[in-house]
Amino acid sequence: MPQYWLMKSEPDDCSIDDALAAPGATVPWTGVRGWQARNYMAKQMQVDDGVLFYHSSCPQPGIVGIARVASGTRPDPTQFDPESPYYDPASKPEHPRWLLLDVQALRKTRLLGLPEMRATPELADMVVLRRGNRLSITPVDPVHWHFIVDRMLA
DNA sequence: GCCAACGTTGGC
DNA sequence: GCCAACGTTGGC
């Protein structure tokens, strides 16, 4: 059974348009620096899982596209790059601490903005809407996934 | 730029 | 293994 996820990206860094314009519409999901999100990637996420592409830290936060998990995990090279904002001097190449996986954008949708998500009773229980939620990757209940996909593609 | 609410760390 | 303090996320 596929699982479903919501992945936050800052559009200044990688927007849905950037992802769609990448070769194969596929981007390495760099910069995850939290253990919970890291462990979702390492232990639960599988190729072909569904992904809601979410823009955060921007004027109009919300879901902007549909994507899929396109690879297993490998070490995130930005952790070893002193020039990168994601550099982690404590992580050694022989024991990489942070992982990434590839995400393939499938299509852009209309904006399902955060205010609309909050105003939609069917979505009230989404993990990402929990107060103060800070995880960059959150699991999405299949019921929520189907509701959103149906609504966005209708 | 502010700041609430959090996830993570580290002392014990 | 608890939990207070810290640093960060992310919406506004």
Side-chain angles (χ1 to χ4, degrees):
Chain A
M1 282 293 282
Q3 299 186 88
Y4 304 102
W5 308 92
L6 181 144
M7 300 179 77
K8 296 178 183 173
S9 182
E10 301 188 11
D12 286 348
D13 186 27
C14 181
S15 69
I16 184 70
D17 290 322
D18 294 335
L20 283 166
T26 299
V27 290
W29 205 265
T30 58
V32 173
R33 295 293 181 275
W35 289 99
Q36 282 189 225
R38 191 209 90 109
N39 290 338
Y40 283 140
M41 289 196 289
K43 300 181 179 178
Q44 296 192 45
M45 297 175 78
Q46 302 278 339
V47 171
D48 281 333
D49 280 359
V51 173
L52 299 173
F53 198 112
Y54 182 96
H55 282 174
S56 68
S57 298
C58 62
Q60 299 213 87
I63 295 166
V64 294
I66 309 290
R68 63 184 273 275
V69 175
S71 79
T73 58
R74 61 183 182 276
D76 178 348
T78 64
Q79 70 196 299
F80 307 124
D81 177 5
E83 303 300 311
S84 169
Y86 304 121
Y87 179 55
D88 181 355
S91 184
K92 300 300 169 197
E94 56 276 22
H95 289 291
R97 178 175 293 191
W98 304 115
L99 306 173
L100 59 70
L101 43 69
D102 291 325
V103 173
Q104 181 179 33
L106 298 177
R107 56 166 294 171
K108 191 175 176 175
T109 61
R110 73 172 178 86
L111 171 71
L112 176 58
L114 185 58
E116 183 180 350
M117 293 169 70
R118 290 199 188 285
T120 303
E122 291 88 343
L123 302 179
D125 296 333
M126 284 189 77
V127 176
V128 74
L129 298 184
R130 286 183 194 156
R131 209 145 95 104
N133 162 74
R134 294 176 42 188
L135 292 177
S136 60
I137 301 174
T138 51
V140 173
D141 187 285
V143 172
H144 296 145
W145 168 268
H146 289 110
F147 180 86
I148 290 168
V149 169
D150 288 350
R151 170 176 277 213
M152 304 289 271
L153 302 187

